[in-house]
Amino acid sequence: MTSMYEHAGGEEALRRVESAFYDKVLADPVLKSLFPERRPTHVDHLTWFTSESFGGPDRFSRDVGFDYLIAVHRHLNITDEQRERFAELYMASFEEAGLLESEAFRDAVRSHVEFGAQVAQQNSHASTDEELHPIRAVPLWTWEG
């Protein structure tokens, strides 16, 4: 079975998707408060996270770490509308890159982004560590492809 990382075309293809996605969220009025300015490392971090989650190199875990991911979402108070818009723009970026032709891959990407957005939303409202989502590592996403 081919990993999602391999199916997507590896890091370069995922970097193009994440770069297009990041441009979208920076310009989106619903997400503007969550992404108020361009950060030079954001596309790298998004790419490394998605690559690792899709079965590629573990660079996000090695170089950034999951604790960082928790910290950057704390106190953002992500709304349902923002969570849904984030997922919508993410899927649009994959679609525009021509990577969602396979229904199985599309479904796997959708479940990946919806799960991640739910985790981020929960963590964004947590006032204590006990209220955080229990996941503490980059999840490995698989598909039937």
Side-chain angles (χ1 to χ4, degrees):
M1 176 170 30
T2 303
S3 71
M4 290 179 68
Y5 176 79
E6 293 166 326
H7 179 81
E11 185 170 330
E12 284 306 311
L14 291 173
R15 180 174 302 285
R16 285 191 301 274
V17 169
E18 300 296 1
S19 182
F21 168 71
Y22 193 47
D23 288 343
K24 288 179 190 339
V25 299
L26 285 168
D28 190 83
V30 173
L31 298 174
K32 190 68 176 160
S33 65
L34 301 178
F35 298 91
E37 65 185 14
R38 183 173 295 277
R39 293 192 180 147
T41 58
H42 211 136
V43 171
D44 285 341
H45 291 173
L46 288 167
T47 301
W48 299 344
F49 181 88
T50 303
S51 293
E52 184 172 340
S53 187
F54 282 12
D58 66 346
R59 189 166 180 186
F60 186 87
S61 291
R62 283 191 339 256
D63 294 354
V64 182
F66 204 81
D67 287 342
Y68 171 83
L69 194 59
I70 292 171
V72 297
H73 290 103
R74 290 291 286 263
H75 311 296
L76 288 179
N77 297 313
I78 298 169
T79 67
D80 288 341
E81 180 185 23
Q82 289 169 323
R83 178 182 45 77
E84 290 165 6
R85 184 69 177 149
F86 180 94
E88 178 184 331
L89 294 178
Y90 194 81
M91 293 303 294
S93 298
F94 267 86
E95 183 73 42
E96 290 166 11
L99 296 177
L100 297 183
E101 293 176 8
S102 160
E103 185 176 344
F105 188 74
R106 182 182 328 105
D107 291 346
V109 171
R110 182 179 313 285
S111 69
H112 170 265
V113 70
E114 288 177 356
F115 175 78
Q118 290 265 318
V119 170
Q121 184 180 33
Q122 179 176 338
N123 290 346
S124 79
H125 290 274
S127 55
T128 66
D129 287 351
E130 292 74 30
E131 294 174 347
L132 291 168
H133 190 281
I135 192 168
R136 293 293 186 275
V138 175
L140 176 60
W141 228 254
T142 59
W143 69 307
E144 300 296 323

